[in-house]
């Protein structure tokens, strides 16, 4: 499948996304995750992805925040044409949307932009402007968590690019975990990669990088809630800076 045919990819609101019946019980999935996490410690990222593809088939999906095209490239090498979900909150930097479109056009994946139920204007009308300042948890819940929850009901497992060295909160990221709230397997094929390994992969494969990274945005979320980080800061220190919030809630 050619990524070039995908253009900016599919876009849909989570309220209209059909869900599939589960084919594996949550108990089965938890056991699969525990066994695989023990066995795949130290495995190469490609091998972790290959295991996930063999185990979950069509019920495997990828998420990306489009900080770069690394995860899409990596996964496409093993599972060409796989679906990559992007949470299009309505608050992204133009550079992030451009990175999404470029990844869709150049990688052999199907990028799918998942929209919140409410537009930003509808949310402002109902809850007041700048909800992210007053109640970022509520804003993240409506614009990220609930839309992703709805789409993930069609899958048994999802791959994300979380890494242990991104922040203290992610230091225990498993290679294969179990998301008890959603009853799903979570797969982090680059959990153990360092920033240096990431850069080496980007350079070796000429991977697209969100241009904001050159301006110090090492972890890129919504524009109102992201700032550049200084040298020596955690990559995620610029997310919800000045508040106690460190995660949007999609990674249970
Ligand atoms: S990161 Fe900020 S703007 Fe984006 S959904 Fe969360 S609170 Fe809202």
């Amino acid at each position: 499948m050619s990524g070039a045919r995908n253009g900016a990819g599919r876009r849909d609101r989570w309220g209209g996304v059909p869900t599939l019946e589960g084919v594996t019980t949550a108990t089965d999935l938890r056991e699969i995750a525990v066994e695989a996490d023990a066995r795949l410690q130290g495995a190469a990222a490609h091998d972790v992805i290959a295991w996930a593809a063999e185990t979950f088939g069509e019920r495997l999906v990828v998420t990306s925040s489009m900080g770069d095209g690394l995860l899409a490239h990596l996964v496409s090498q093993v599972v060409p044409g796989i679906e990559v979900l992007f949470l299009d909150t309505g608050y992204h930097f133009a550079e992030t949307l451009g990175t999404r479109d470029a990844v869709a056009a150049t990688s052999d994946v199907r990028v799918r932009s998942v929209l919140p139920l409410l537009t930003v204007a509808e949310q402002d009308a109902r809850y007041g402007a700048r909800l992210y300042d007053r109640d970022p948890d509520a804003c993240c819940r409506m614009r990220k968590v609930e839309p992703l929850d709805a789409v993930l009901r069609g899958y048994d497992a999802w791959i994300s690019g979380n890494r242990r060295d991104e922040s203290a909160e992610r230091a225990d990221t498993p290679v294969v975990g179990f998301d008890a709230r959603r009853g799903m397997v979570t797969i982090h094929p680059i959990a153990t990669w360092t920033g240096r390994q990431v850069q080496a992969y980007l350079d070796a494969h000429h991977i697209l990088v969100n241009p904001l990274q050159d301006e110090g945005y090492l972890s890129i979320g919504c524009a109102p809630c992201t700032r550049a980080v200084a040298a020596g800061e955690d990559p995620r220190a610029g997310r919800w800076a000045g508040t106690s919030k460190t995660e949007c809630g999609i990674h249970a």
Side-chain angles (χ1 to χ4, degrees):
M1 177 182 299
S2 167
R5 290 198 299 270
N6 295 331
R10 174 178 167 187
R11 295 162 62 86
D12 51 24
R13 289 187 188 280
W14 68 266
V17 176
T19 60
L20 305 175
E21 291 297 318
V23 295
T24 312
T25 69
T27 302
D28 293 339
L29 292 173
R30 184 191 296 270
E31 290 174 358
I32 288 169
V34 169
E35 187 278 327
D37 189 54
R39 186 162 48 80
L40 293 171
Q41 292 297 319
H46 283 90
D47 292 336
V48 174
I49 296 165
W51 165 81
E54 187 176 325
T55 304
F56 301 108
E58 293 289 315
R59 296 185 66 81
L60 175 68
V61 72
V62 182
T63 59
S64 173
S65 59
M66 298 298 171
D68 56 50
L70 190 156
L71 189 63
H73 180 272
L74 188 62
V75 176
S76 73
Q77 303 302 298
V78 184
V79 198
I82 193 169
E83 190 160 70
V84 175
L85 304 176
F86 170 73
L87 296 173
D88 191 352
T89 62
Y91 283 119
H92 282 296
F93 294 100
E95 290 88 342
T96 301
L97 300 179
T99 301
R100 173 202 60 186
D101 294 347
V103 167
T106 59
S107 296
D108 194 356
V109 295
R110 290 174 292 132
V111 174
R112 175 178 174 187
S113 292
V114 179
L115 305 180
L117 193 58
L118 301 178
T119 65
V120 169
E122 288 167 345
Q123 178 173 295
D124 286 354
R126 190 174 300 183
Y127 299 100
R130 302 173 68 96
L131 181 63
Y132 46 79
D133 280 342
R134 292 175 285 110
D135 191 347
D137 286 342
C139 188
C140 277
R141 186 178 67 249
M142 288 188 282
R143 312 205 73 74
K144 292 184 173 182
V145 179
E146 291 176 349
L148 184 63
D149 284 356
V151 174
L152 287 181
R153 286 185 202 120
Y155 299 92
D156 285 334
W158 59 304
I159 296 173
S160 83
N162 288 13
R163 302 194 338 263
R164 293 174 187 169
D165 76 347
E166 289 180 291
S167 66
E169 288 76 18
R170 295 191 174 183
D172 295 327
T173 299
V175 175
V176 182
F178 183 70
D179 177 344
R181 186 175 69 79
R182 298 187 180 97
M184 295 184 69
V185 176
T186 55
I187 298 141
H188 308 106
I190 60 170
T192 62
W193 285 23
T194 63
R196 185 169 298 195
Q197 285 175 285
V198 168
Q199 191 59 53
Y201 190 96
L202 294 172
D203 293 343
H205 299 281
H206 309 289
I207 304 293
L208 282 161
V209 175
N210 189 318
L212 289 172
Q213 295 218 20
D214 290 338
E215 299 175 28
Y217 292 80
L218 301 188
S219 174
I220 305 167
C222 295
C225 303
T226 306
R227 67 157 171 79
V229 297
E233 280 191 301
D234 275 349
R236 289 181 60 81
R239 306 291 295 277
W240 304 281
T243 77
S244 59
K245 186 174 172 67
T246 56
E247 295 281 349
C248 60
I250 65 172
H251 299 287

